[in-house]
Amino acid sequence: MATPDFLRTLRASAGHQLLWLPGVSAVVFDDEGRVLLGRRADNGRWSIIGGIPDPGEQPAQCAVREVYEETAVLCVPERVVLVQALQPVTYPNQDVCQYMDITLRCRAVGGEPWVNDDESLEVAWFAMDELPELAEFSAYRVKQAQEPASAATWFDPSFTDPRELPRTDTPEAPGVTGGRPAPL
């Protein structure tokens, strides 16, 4: 996956330490209800399309750009499907990133899928009952994007009840009482 120039610049001063970054994923459907997938060049697996927004770029603009750059398909975003903080990822060069993924359901409005950059080995439309093997990340997002907007999960299903979180009024968290800053 190509690393954006702004991220290379940031890495020059940050080194390998954890970077908290936005990410955008697009689940694109055509008029026949098929989903657009790309087989990634970095791991050979089929996946939904996604990437990192450029500084100042809106998530919807990023989705449209990434889909076109990777597949030559033009799309329009329809709705937010899921917003989820992902687990940190350590890359082979030891860079560590953690992404806040914004997944958008999109509708194809033009173009024919073909490999449009070096991030994909193949791109294709798949009927929902003929999907290739997908990692849980992509499979979950495709499933959520199929659901009507009112039925979609709008939160991480592994969310912990805040009453079960560790207390923050400990010596390790001075000035914090019961999860709120102590009065001045």
Side-chain angles (χ1 to χ4, degrees):
M1 183 170 281
T3 302
D5 289 339
F6 81 90
L7 195 49
R8 288 181 216 271
T9 301
L10 187 58
R11 277 285 177 212
S13 62
H16 298 298
Q17 71 179 312
L18 174 74
L19 294 181
W20 176 247
L21 299 168
V24 175
S25 300
V27 182
V28 183
F29 291 98
D30 68 4
D31 291 338
E32 297 174 34
R34 299 176 302 173
V35 67
L36 181 65
L37 300 174
R39 193 161 69 84
R40 296 172 55 109
D42 61 350
N43 64 17
R45 299 197 64 185
W46 287 97
S47 179
I48 59 176
I49 309 303
I52 299 170
D54 292 329
E57 184 178 35
Q58 296 298 322
Q61 292 170 320
C62 177
V64 170
R65 177 181 55 77
E66 288 287 345
V67 169
Y68 183 75
E69 284 179 358
E70 294 181 27
T71 71
V73 170
L74 299 169
C75 70
V76 294
E78 295 181 321
R79 67 178 168 88
V80 174
V81 171
L82 181 69
V83 176
Q84 182 181 37
L86 305 178
Q87 293 297 313
V89 176
T90 302
Y91 290 98
N93 67 356
Q94 301 308 305
D95 285 352
V96 182
C97 296
Q98 185 170 11
Y99 298 95
M100 174 62 74
D101 178 64
I102 302 166
T103 301
L104 300 168
R105 178 191 167 109
C106 300
R107 180 175 36 88
V109 294
E112 291 296 322
W114 61 286
V115 175
N116 205 27
D117 67 8
D118 60 356
E119 293 183 38
S120 300
L121 301 173
E122 298 177 71
V123 294
W125 293 108
F126 289 90
M128 296 309 297
D129 59 354
E130 296 177 353
L131 293 176
E133 182 180 339
L134 296 172
E136 179 59 27
F137 175 89
S138 291
Y140 182 71
R141 282 155 176 74
V142 168
K143 180 178 184 240
Q144 291 302 305
Q146 284 184 279
E147 299 291 332
S150 61
T153 301
W154 292 95
F155 62 91
D156 181 348
S158 65
F159 180 74
T160 303
D161 183 324
R163 294 169 291 192
E164 296 174 10
L165 292 173
R167 292 187 55 113
T168 56
D169 57 350
T170 64
E172 294 81 30
V176 177
T177 307
R180 296 188 179 154
L184 297 177

